[in-house]
Amino acid sequence: MERIRDAFASLGSNRALIPFIVAGDPDYETSLAIARAILESGADMLEIGFPYSDPLADGPVIQAAALRSLNRGCQLPDCFRLVQDLRKETNKPLIAFTYVNPLMQYGATRFFAELAQAGGDGVIVPDVPLEEAPDLASAAEKQGIAWIPLVAPTSGENRVQAIAQQARGFVYCVSSLGVTGERSAISTQVESLVQAVKRHTNLPACVGFGVSTPDHVREIAGYADGVIVGSAYVRRIGDAASGGGDAIDMVSHFTMSLKDACRA
């Protein structure tokens, strides 16, 4: 958790860039090289999706990436190994994105312990509602793992308050309803959502879902503390895997353009 706190504190008036990739996509070594390139190109932290066969919050681009990874045999121990391999090279925060089914099947205590041992800093579990989260959030905190919850534009003020008080690390503000995926514009509701979060916690508020371009990032950087970009990265990785270019070069240049947009 301390690495997340320190990363935000080091930004000054700038905003955090938090890319998302899927572990093992298109294979283990390539995903490790891609993660390394993203961090070296200026990302402030990295969100690592643990592939799952039924990712309810994800659109077709990330679903396809998870399937590519699973078809290459990536399992939870491989995801922890990816975190561990990255931790040998960086002190930037590494955040796991998973779903409740694999988390519970693996065992929550074991999951958080192995994530912490690998050098992970936080976890996002999008299909755990507020009412079911306290035990998992407590188990994560015991291992020094930040429980990072999601709030949506449809969350009422009381629910935003309860979620924000449960959060550690930062609060993930969902910019639009539905699943992840690139969109042409950011909802006008998200700024109000960020303001609602800030009324109830001093933790950073970061915006994700549908954030796809430097212009989106620049817009969000005007009111949020960080920006999460997922499908736009994963699409580039998928294009490269299909012969559409060099993944390392593509994600490196994309990261630099987004990081420029995060500057105050």
Side-chain angles (χ1 to χ4, degrees):
M1 277 189 279
E2 289 78 10
R3 276 188 288 259
I4 296 175
R5 179 200 61 205
D6 293 346
F8 281 107
S10 70
L11 289 171
S13 58
N14 295 329
R15 308 308 186 198
L17 173 62
I18 311 173
F20 168 96
I21 65 168
V22 175
D25 175 37
D27 57 68
Y28 183 87
E29 293 299 333
T30 303
S31 69
L32 177 60
I34 287 169
R36 182 185 298 120
I38 289 171
L39 291 168
E40 290 177 349
S41 298
D44 298 292
M45 52 192 85
L46 183 65
E47 186 181 327
I48 302 170
F50 288 16
Y52 176 50
S53 59
D54 192 19
L56 298 177
D58 292 311
V61 170
I62 295 177
Q63 286 185 28
L67 185 59
R68 286 194 297 268
S69 177
L70 291 170
N71 285 341
R72 294 300 294 263
C74 186
Q75 298 181 355
L76 282 177
D78 301 299
C79 299
F80 295 130
R81 180 162 62 96
L82 182 69
V83 174
Q84 186 174 44
D85 286 346
L86 286 170
R87 179 55 65 217
K88 296 173 184 175
E89 304 175 6
T90 184
N91 198 43
K92 292 182 178 181
L94 304 173
I95 298 162
F97 181 104
T98 189
Y99 285 87
V100 70
N101 186 292
L103 172 62
M104 299 305 291
Q105 288 292 323
Y106 201 73
T109 299
R110 178 187 176 196
F111 183 99
F112 295 130
E114 292 190 18
L115 179 59
Q117 186 176 17
D121 301 286
V123 66
I124 299 167
V125 191
D127 55 345
V128 175
L130 169 68
E131 293 78 10
E132 303 297 329
D135 288 346
L136 289 173
S138 176
E141 188 163 18
K142 287 178 181 177
Q143 297 294 336
I145 300 296
W147 181 263
I148 301 167
L150 281 70
V151 294
T154 51
S155 301
E157 188 79 19
N158 290 341
R159 194 167 185 84
V160 169
Q161 180 179 9
I163 293 171
Q165 290 175 350
Q166 191 180 76
R168 301 292 183 270
F170 62 87
V171 179
Y172 192 132
C173 301
V174 176
S175 70
S176 56
L177 300 179
V179 297
T180 61
E182 297 177 81
R183 291 172 172 80
S184 59
I186 300 299
S187 169
T188 56
Q189 294 178 291
V190 70
E191 183 173 0
S192 297
L193 178 61
V194 169
Q195 292 171 350
V197 169
K198 288 180 172 294
R199 283 195 290 272
H200 300 295
T201 181
N202 292 323
L203 290 176
C206 301
V207 174
F209 277 53
V211 184
S212 312
T213 69
D215 285 342
H216 290 169
V217 170
R218 196 170 292 109
E219 176 185 344
I220 293 167
Y223 53 79
D225 301 294
V227 186
I228 301 158
V229 183
S231 293
Y233 272 98
V234 177
R235 177 177 58 78
R236 285 166 169 80
I237 294 166
D239 288 347
S242 301
D246 179 80
I248 302 301
D249 184 63
M250 293 166 73
V251 299
S252 296
H253 282 88
F254 189 48
T255 301
M256 289 186 282
S257 68
L258 296 178
K259 186 59 181 175
D260 282 343
C262 285
R263 294 192 171 94

